[in-house]
């Protein structure tokens, strides 16, 4: 099995998202701050290779140690799932990327290189028409392959982790 590392990963501890008190007396997190931090981390990790769009978090989240919630950020037009874990009752959270950002052209080049190194040069590899895809660790996907001898085939891949590491599970002619 060959592997490709396609992207980076967002992991960050963010302090003091504490916000105002709600009508029930519970404090709400400052989700605007969380959204700004997620966008900043995403720009750093992916902005050089893909456009980073808007971030969406729930409208309200009460401060509570151990509570979790999710947000999404658009990377190359695709939603990337982000998990936030409340570390305490003071608005401190940990931001974790739940999915990998997979760059289509990098995966296609990886499959073509692997095929050529194993005596099966290609004329084209297609893993879709999007700049990126966002996929969960363990998720499998396939790419179509046109070999130089005129035959066709399929490359089966699997996402290994949120860092964008992809393993080639199988490359076979149809």
């Amino acid at each position: 099995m060959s592997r490709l590392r396609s992207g980076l990963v967002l992991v960050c501890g963010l302090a003091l998202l504490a916000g105002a008190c709600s009508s029930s007396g519970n404090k709400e997190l400052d989700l605007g701050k969380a959204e700004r931090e997620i966008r900043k981390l995403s720009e750093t990790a992916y902005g050089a290779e893909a456009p980073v769009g808007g971030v969406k978090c729930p409208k309200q989240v009460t401060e509570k140690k151990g509570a979790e919630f999710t947000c999404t950020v658009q990377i190359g037009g695709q939603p990337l799932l982000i998990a936030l874990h409340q570390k305490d009752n003071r608005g401190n959270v940990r931001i974790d990327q739940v999915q990998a950002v997979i760059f289509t052209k990098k995966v296609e080049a990886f499959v073509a290189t692997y095929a050529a190194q194993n005596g099966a040069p290609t004329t084209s590899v297609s893993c879709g028409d999007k700049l990126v895809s966002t996929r969960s660790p363990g998720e499998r996907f396939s790419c179509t392959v046109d070999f130089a001898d005129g035959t066709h085939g399929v490359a089966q891949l699997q996402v290994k982790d949120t860092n964008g590491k992809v393993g080639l599970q199988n490359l076979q002619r149809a």
Side-chain angles (χ1 to χ4, degrees):
M1 171 176 31
S2 293
R3 294 187 178 181
L4 163 76
R5 183 178 171 136
S6 181
L8 300 174
V9 66
L10 307 180
V11 177
C12 174
L14 184 59
L16 299 176
L17 291 181
C21 292
S22 70
S23 59
S24 65
N26 295 327
K27 283 193 172 181
E28 301 292 330
L29 294 178
D30 179 353
L31 296 171
K33 186 174 182 181
E35 289 174 349
R36 289 187 296 277
E37 186 65 19
I38 291 168
R39 181 162 172 85
K40 180 177 139 187
L41 290 168
S42 299
E43 285 283 353
T44 300
Y46 304 113
E49 296 182 80
V52 176
V55 178
K56 291 190 181 195
C57 291
K59 292 189 186 292
Q60 290 185 323
V61 175
T62 302
E63 286 181 17
K64 183 179 177 190
K65 182 179 180 177
E68 298 181 8
F69 62 99
T70 58
C71 300
T72 58
V73 58
Q74 296 289 317
I75 307 292
Q78 301 302 307
L80 175 64
L81 191 60
I82 307 294
L84 290 90
H85 310 274
Q86 295 187 51
K87 300 186 323 185
D88 56 31
N89 289 330
R90 296 186 315 255
N92 293 303
V93 300
R94 177 180 166 90
I95 300 171
D96 292 304
Q97 183 172 318
V98 176
Q99 298 172 304
V101 175
I102 308 298
F103 290 88
T104 304
K105 293 294 179 197
K106 288 182 180 182
V107 174
E108 291 169 346
F110 167 65
V111 171
T113 299
Y114 176 86
Q117 290 173 345
N118 287 279
T122 64
T123 56
S124 71
V125 176
S126 176
C127 299
D129 59 357
K130 297 177 182 160
L131 175 64
V132 302
S133 62
T134 54
R135 300 183 184 274
S136 299
E139 186 174 340
R140 295 175 185 263
F141 65 101
S142 59
C143 303
T144 59
V145 180
D146 293 327
F147 294 99
D149 66 2
T151 61
H152 308 288
V154 175
Q156 297 171 338
L157 302 109
Q158 182 176 26
V159 178
K160 296 298 179 186
D161 58 28
T162 58
N163 291 324
K165 192 178 290 181
V166 173
L168 179 61
Q169 303 296 303
N170 192 7
L171 176 62
Q172 61 186 21
R173 295 176 196 269

